Amino acid sequence: MLLPLIRNVLKEKNGLCSGGADKGKIWLRALKASCLHLFFPSRCLHCREFLSPDPAVLCMSCASLLELLNPQDFCPSCFNIKEEDDPLCLHCLHFPSLFFRMAAAFDYEGPAGSLIKHLKYFNQPYLAKGAAAFLLAQFFRLKWPIPDALVPVPLSRSHWIARGYNQSALIAEELAALLQVPVWHALKRTGDPYSQAGLLFEQRQRLEKEAFKLKKTYSIQDKTLLLIDDVMTTGATLRHCAETLSEGYPCALYSLTFCRTKIV
């Protein structure tokens, strides 16, 4: 672990001799960063291998596993697996979705799953910027129209107090900055529901629509909205959000999540 320290010190020291006070500050910052890495080395979020002293959060091996899902393999209406030649899955053919289109960037597994878990449960809100970059890549791959606004799935008050932030809102804000559109916090959680992380499929499906309320602050009539969430499991939460948003008569609803859970 001494090699990163020696390499950075030598590199910046060579520049210091010809650059004056500014390069002296750079040298001190590099020395400080290397010393911190020496005593508190960074680890890959997924495999826990040691990382070199740079801003990376995944090692090269894990980063290479981050491949965006191919939208052609999924139903565009619910983003579940469909037959190759069918335009929609069997369920959406019989029960049309309120969303015009739904999609996710990754399956909820591997390095992508680790990234979103660390964002959500390990107090690492800065990971939202990287998550938004991947969502932007998937968004343009999907060839969706630029929405009028992004709407994050809201968090309950107790979860927000415990976590200190809404991870879906953080991702939405970063993505909105890239798309140059506003974020509208048009949905509000009613009551104080417990975590859905341990719920069975049937329990998630029975979630009440009344868990969400449409705020009167925003006029969403005839607007194209993109709903943002971190993980889609059964789609129950997103569906109930869509039902609530539909009360405001939007023009079209889209949904994009960072991960989707495979339903067996």
Side-chain angles (χ1 to χ4, degrees):
M1 289 191 297
L2 286 172
L3 288 177
L5 173 61
I6 296 171
R7 189 184 302 115
N8 281 348
V9 168
L10 290 177
K11 181 179 177 181
E12 296 301 335
K13 186 176 180 182
N14 290 334
L16 176 61
C17 296
S18 58
D22 289 339
K23 290 201 172 182
K25 294 178 181 178
I26 295 174
W27 178 74
L28 289 174
R29 284 199 297 268
L31 180 61
K32 179 181 178 181
S34 293
C35 288
L36 286 173
H37 180 75
L38 176 64
F39 296 106
F40 306 100
S42 301
R43 288 178 177 267
C44 173
L45 292 182
H46 182 61
C47 71
R48 308 306 295 162
E49 283 290 326
F50 288 110
L51 299 173
S52 59
D54 57 43
V57 295
L58 294 171
C59 68
M60 292 297 294
S61 296
C62 291
S64 67
L65 298 176
L66 289 173
E67 294 187 11
L68 294 173
L69 294 173
N70 184 359
Q72 300 299 322
D73 297 334
F74 299 88
C75 173
S77 186
C78 68
F79 215 67
N80 283 319
I81 299 292
K82 67 176 181 66
E83 295 297 328
E84 184 176 354
D85 297 329
D86 293 337
L88 299 174
C89 69
L90 188 62
H91 182 271
C92 289
L93 286 172
H94 292 88
F95 305 97
S97 172
L98 288 173
F99 288 106
F100 182 67
R101 291 288 184 268
M102 294 181 73
F106 302 101
D107 281 325
Y108 192 35
E109 60 186 20
S114 295
L115 190 151
I116 209 66
K117 288 174 184 175
H118 279 262
L119 167 61
K120 190 171 183 177
Y121 300 118
F122 293 91
N123 193 30
Q124 294 178 288
Y126 59 87
L127 295 175
K129 186 180 291 291
F134 282 111
L135 283 188
L136 181 70
Q138 186 72 314
F139 178 85
F140 284 124
R141 189 180 186 184
L142 291 160
K143 298 180 180 180
W144 289 354
I146 300 296
D148 293 299
L150 270 58
V151 179
V153 172
L155 201 63
S156 69
R157 183 179 296 274
S158 62
H159 290 158
W160 192 94
I161 292 174
R163 196 168 297 160
Y165 55 87
N166 176 358
Q167 69 281 351
S168 298
L170 293 181
I171 295 173
E173 289 164 5
E174 295 290 349
L175 180 59
L178 295 171
L179 291 173
Q180 297 184 343
V181 298
V183 175
W184 290 353
H185 296 273
L187 293 171
K188 178 181 179 181
R189 286 245 186 206
T190 58
D192 203 16
Y194 52 87
S195 174
Q196 297 178 39
L199 295 184
L200 299 175
F201 179 88
E202 294 79 7
Q203 292 173 317
R204 286 175 177 266
Q205 294 300 316
R206 289 197 295 267
L207 286 174
E208 296 289 339
K209 173 191 171 183
E210 286 71 24
F212 299 98
K213 183 178 180 181
L214 183 63
K215 294 182 181 179
K216 297 181 179 180
T217 313
Y218 302 95
S219 176
I220 65 173
Q221 185 172 351
D222 297 327
K223 302 296 184 183
T224 298
L225 304 177
L226 176 58
L227 189 67
I228 300 295
D229 204 4
D230 55 344
V231 179
M232 174 176 64
T233 303
T234 65
T237 297
L238 297 173
R239 184 172 63 254
H240 293 314
C241 286
E243 291 171 355
T244 303
L245 288 170
S246 295
E247 297 173 2
Y249 305 104
C251 174
L253 294 176
Y254 293 76
S255 173
L256 187 58
T257 62
F258 185 75
C259 287
R260 66 177 288 276
T261 299
K262 292 181 179 179
I263 304 298
V264 179

